[in-house]
Amino acid sequence: MGAALRSRPIIPARPKLDRPRSRLIAFPITVLALLVLPVAAGLLGAALPAFGYLPVLGLEDFSLKPFVALLGAPGIGVSLALSLCAGLCTTTLAFLVVTGFVAAWHGTRVFRALRRLIAPLLAAPHAAAAFGLAFLIAPSGLLMRALSPWASGFDRPPDWLIVHDPAGLTMTAGLVVKEIPFLFLMALAALPQVEAEPRLKMARALGYGRVAAFLFAVLPPLYAQLRLPIFAIIAYACSVVDVALILGPTTPAPLAVRILEWQADPDLSLRSLAAAGALAQFVIAFLAISLWLALEWLVARIGAKLTTSGRRFRRDGFLRQLTGVTMSLSAGLVFAGLATLALWSIAGFWAFPDVWPNALTLDTWRHLGASLSRPLDNALLIAALSSFLAVVLALGALEYEARTGGTVTTRALVTLYLPLLVPQIAFLFGLDMLLVALRFDGRLLAVILAHLVFVFPYVLLSLSQPWQALDPRYALIARSLGRGADAIFWKIRLPMLARAIATATALGFAVSISLYLPTLLIGAGRWPTVTTEAVALSSGGDRRITAATALVQACLPFFAFTLAALLPALLFRRRAAMRAGG
């Protein structure tokens, strides 16, 4: 998708003098305001209390005391290191797995098979996948039960700290298995733009091995188009909260989790400390991206020397098998984790080391029904409205682009990624402070708009490629028959792109369902969703209730994608030609 944006216009950054005017200009202006203003206002709202200015608490003199307090907080160095390492390690591992798999298996049956699994892997929310991984690899998890006691010798769960380990290894693993599908999807969208097939054929004709041909001939232009998605992964992994609460260390926790704890503390004097932490989180993300750029420079120099060395690296069989196994394992962990959640949600008494529960029952679901109804209603309402608004704005911006012939620039592309490049905790904290001052926090509209900030980029990225791929001759024929621009939009583009629009809506719905911080901070705890309820259960409690809640969260995006696949098919079941762009 990022590749499509680079080569095809999305948001016009500067109007041309001869560009035709359109009343649809309100859409790109609204989009730019939606993407820029919350981030700018949120960073400003965090910066003022971080430097000691918080009039509501009687702090009206600027100072560095919050930063001094932050540096003096117990274990703050470990928290900073955990956040930095999580961002870099997650991105490095995900990039190596995806790049190695694409290089080794591009164009094969295995590649096509894993490509079909992208949608369900992406649909699984981070929190649900993290719960599934925890239930799978914990000392009393399904894997240990399968090995006990015949192989491990354990007749009770070993005293191993796998989940919440101090080094954050399990948290990093949970992030990697969820970021691999995202990066794989970005690579799939970019491959056609870099003419991968001709480049590979030429390199193979020169005698290079399969992997070496890809790395030397395709990866350089491909990486240029993956850079922004990679930066988004770094920023997310550095500041993730929900996965860190479920899988991450606790003493001390990563910086983002500690910021949330300080922000929620009844002691209001900790607000300045939390604000200083939010700015520190922004600096950590910037530092991680800078280190990645340095690593990128180093790898590019090494690659240039290898390219001119004349070596062909034909023996790559082990590397191919390794990348295939790693990629399949990451996908298998997500599906196995979700299956484990499903089993726990209907389990009766289940003692260790039994692999299967003694009884299956629906008691958990009966008890959960009443307590989960309100969070479920809130989640559906917020996700439906935010995804609908995002689709309307995206269609308006794309139609404006089609009518005026705008061109995309790097600045416009960075603007589109801005809410994904800036850590959520860094600007949502300040945005929450501003909304409190304006007495607008905790309102449903504020929560929906906060979700819209994160939902819109994904919806636009999803819609842009099929929109631009629609054959322009349909519009030319309509114009030759006397149809205007509005008629072309309503009667040609929308019906023919119904499948793509439905898919983008489902993607926006899935993104909204998975959002934790915007719901918690902007909603001030008044709009609980299945995600906030599931994460709240991470601190302990009944495994069956936790599994059932996480499973509900995981199923909602699947239902949305299923509906998105069925609805256009039903609408146009007698008009196969109307399914263009699907």
Side-chain angles (χ1 to χ4, degrees):
M1 297 176 191
L5 288 174
R6 183 172 291 278
S7 60
R8 290 164 176 163
I10 295 297
I11 302 175
R14 181 177 299 174
K16 297 179 180 178
L17 294 178
D18 57 348
R19 179 179 297 176
R21 294 182 178 180
S22 172
R23 63 182 184 276
L24 297 179
I25 193 173
F27 284 96
I29 291 176
T30 304
V31 167
L32 291 176
L34 173 71
L35 298 177
V36 174
L37 290 182
V39 177
L43 289 177
L44 178 64
L48 292 177
F51 285 96
Y53 185 79
L54 193 56
V56 69
L57 296 183
L59 303 174
E60 298 182 350
D61 296 325
F62 287 96
S63 72
L64 295 177
K65 289 182 180 178
F67 289 103
V68 174
L70 176 67
L71 294 177
I76 189 63
V78 177
S79 297
L80 293 171
L82 284 171
S83 298
L84 182 64
C85 292
L88 287 175
C89 294
T90 298
T91 310
T92 302
L93 292 174
F95 178 75
L96 289 177
V97 172
V98 171
T99 304
F101 178 76
V102 175
W105 297 93
H106 180 256
T108 65
R109 294 175 61 183
V110 175
F111 187 87
R112 289 191 290 272
L114 280 175
R115 183 174 186 164
R116 296 189 191 98
L117 298 177
I118 280 291
L121 288 172
L122 278 175
H126 281 78
F131 274 120
L133 184 64
F135 280 34
L136 201 61
I137 67 173
S140 59
L142 197 60
L143 289 180
M144 186 58 72
R145 289 168 184 267
L147 296 174
S148 301
W150 64 275
S152 67
F154 297 126
D155 56 3
R156 63 184 61 185
D159 188 17
W160 294 348
L161 192 59
I162 297 177
V163 179
H164 303 304
D165 63 291
L169 299 179
T170 304
M171 178 184 70
T172 302
L175 289 170
V176 169
V177 297
K178 271 301 294 171
E179 296 308 322
I180 283 176
F182 172 72
L183 195 56
F184 187 38
L185 180 65
M186 296 294 104
L188 290 177
L191 279 172
Q193 309 300 321
V194 299
E195 299 178 339
E197 286 296 337
R199 289 173 180 268
L200 279 175
K201 288 181 180 177
M202 181 179 295
R204 296 298 302 274
L206 293 173
Y208 285 94
R210 186 183 187 90
V211 175
F214 183 91
L215 296 181
F216 291 151
V218 180
L219 185 59
L222 178 67
Y223 178 78
Q225 304 196 38
L226 292 179
R227 186 176 281 140
L228 281 178
I230 287 174
F231 290 169
I233 293 175
I234 293 175
Y236 176 79
C238 280
S239 59
V240 65
V241 173
D242 50 357
V243 176
L245 286 170
I246 298 168
L247 298 175
T250 55
T251 51
L255 180 60
V257 176
R258 301 189 70 179
I259 295 171
L260 190 62
E261 292 172 352
W262 292 329
Q263 194 273 342
D265 197 289
D267 184 359
L268 296 180
S269 64
L270 293 181
R271 295 293 188 277
S272 296
L273 179 62
L279 288 192
Q281 183 67 72
F282 179 77
V283 173
I284 287 294
F286 179 79
L287 177 61
I289 292 175
S290 300
L291 291 174
W292 179 268
L293 289 174
L295 182 64
E296 173 188 313
W297 178 86
L298 179 63
V299 172
R301 294 297 178 276
I302 296 174
K305 289 188 177 180
L306 289 176
T307 305
T308 57
S309 67
R311 299 180 62 184
R312 295 306 195 250
F313 301 100
R314 295 187 182 91
R315 296 181 178 179
D316 55 9
F318 173 76
L319 185 59
R320 292 191 64 202
Q321 298 302 322
L322 178 64
T323 56
V325 169
T326 307
M327 191 74 171
S328 303
L329 179 63
S330 68
L333 283 175
V334 175
F335 290 125
L338 296 179
T340 305
L341 291 179
L343 186 56
W344 265 106
S345 70
I346 57 174
F349 181 73
W350 194 357
F352 188 90
D354 296 342
V355 179
W356 193 258
N358 290 349
L360 299 180
T361 174
L362 294 178
D363 288 347
T364 302
W365 290 98
R366 294 192 191 98
H367 297 153
L368 193 65
S371 61
L372 204 59
S373 60
R374 183 171 175 239
L376 183 59
D377 292 342
N378 289 339
L380 292 174
L381 178 65
I382 294 170
L385 291 177
S386 59
S387 57
F388 171 75
L389 291 174
V391 169
V392 171
L393 286 175
L395 289 174
L398 291 169
E399 180 63 15
Y400 172 80
E401 173 190 284
R403 295 187 185 186
T404 60
T407 57
V408 73
T409 66
T410 301
R411 185 171 52 186
L413 195 60
V414 172
T415 303
L416 180 62
Y417 272 93
L418 189 60
L420 309 181
L421 294 176
V422 179
Q424 291 184 15
I425 192 71
F427 74 92
L428 283 177
F429 173 79
L431 190 61
D432 179 48
M433 299 285 284
L434 290 177
L435 292 177
V436 170
L438 296 173
R439 297 183 178 180
F440 194 59
D441 67 310
R443 298 175 184 269
L444 177 62
L445 180 59
V447 178
I448 292 173
L449 291 177
H451 277 232
L452 185 58
V453 171
F454 299 98
V455 169
F456 177 78
Y458 290 99
V459 170
L460 186 60
L461 291 171
S462 175
L463 264 179
S464 61
Q465 189 172 5
W467 183 277
Q468 300 296 334
L470 185 65
D471 194 335
R473 288 175 295 182
Y474 290 115
L476 292 176
I477 293 173
R479 288 195 190 97
S480 68
L481 295 175
R483 293 292 185 177
D486 289 344
I488 294 173
F489 174 76
W490 290 106
K491 297 184 177 180
I492 294 180
R493 288 200 178 101
L494 284 190
M496 297 193 71
L497 293 171
R499 185 180 294 273
I501 294 171
T503 302
T505 307
L507 179 61
F509 184 90
V511 172
S512 177
I513 289 293
S514 68
L515 289 177
Y516 174 71
L517 266 186
T519 312
L520 188 68
L521 291 180
I522 306 302
R526 300 172 192 168
W527 298 94
T529 63
V530 287
T531 300
T532 59
E533 293 299 296
V535 176
L537 293 170
S538 63
S539 57
D542 193 325
R543 281 192 176 191
R544 295 160 185 81
I545 295 178
T546 303
T549 307
L551 193 62
V552 170
Q553 188 209 14
C555 287
L556 291 178
F558 282 110
F559 290 148
F561 278 103
T562 303
L563 187 62
L566 293 178
L567 193 58
L570 291 175
L571 289 176
F572 304 116
R573 59 187 181 280
R574 297 181 180 178
R575 298 181 178 181
M578 294 292 285
R579 294 199 293 264

